Amino acid sequence: GQRSTQYTPKKNLEFLLWGSVSTSLAFFLASFQVHEKGILISLAPLSLLALDAPGFVMWLSTVATWSLWPLLVIDRLCEAYVCCLVIFLCINAMARPTQLSGEVTFLRSNLATVAAVLSL
């Protein structure tokens, strides 16, 4: 049989964000002489998907900011980077959604929003 798929505005926005992430990552990975800060273009739409794919957003945000290490060394921001990374990872660990009688807890969803903002 043929399945009928109904797209909602929320689903369309999610597809648009994933398309933006994919396109910007392809540009970053396939460009010649791309600057390290170019990865931040991919993190902007990706951070808006933090509630839909928290594990992937956390992983890619950590790897992307790690790729900025040469710039952080030049500006002597290594300690600040490590502190922000630890805070970001702790907030993400606490923000994992858990089911309590079918609803995501209010505190954890707020922590996920804070983590999305910090990933920028």
Side-chain angles (χ1 to χ4, degrees):
Q2 190 176 16
R3 294 189 328 194
S4 173
T5 306
Q6 182 178 7
Y7 295 109
T8 63
K10 180 186 181 300
K11 203 51 132 166
N12 289 341
L13 179 62
E14 187 178 333
F15 288 151
L16 177 68
L17 289 173
W18 280 114
S20 299
V21 171
S22 301
T23 304
S24 58
L25 276 176
F27 177 77
F28 177 76
L29 295 173
S31 293
F32 180 70
Q33 290 185 338
V34 69
H35 196 273
E36 291 93 348
K37 289 187 275 187
I39 192 68
L40 298 176
I41 296 170
S42 299
L43 289 181
L46 185 70
S47 64
L48 296 174
L49 293 165
L51 294 176
D52 294 329
F56 181 70
V57 171
M58 182 179 71
W59 175 80
L60 191 62
S61 297
T62 305
V63 171
T65 54
W66 175 76
S67 72
L68 296 171
W69 184 258
L71 297 175
L72 297 169
V73 171
I74 291 170
D75 293 335
R76 295 187 308 236
L77 294 172
C78 301
E79 293 84 9
Y81 164 73
V82 170
C83 290
C84 286
L85 182 63
V86 167
I87 291 169
F88 174 73
L89 293 175
C90 288
I91 289 175
N92 270 305
M94 291 186 303
R96 294 286 180 187
T98 57
Q99 296 292 328
L100 292 178
S101 69
E103 296 180 9
V104 176
T105 61
F106 181 73
L107 175 64
R108 291 184 184 259
S109 61
N110 280 340
L111 286 174
T113 305
V114 170
V117 170
L118 281 177
S119 71
L120 288 176

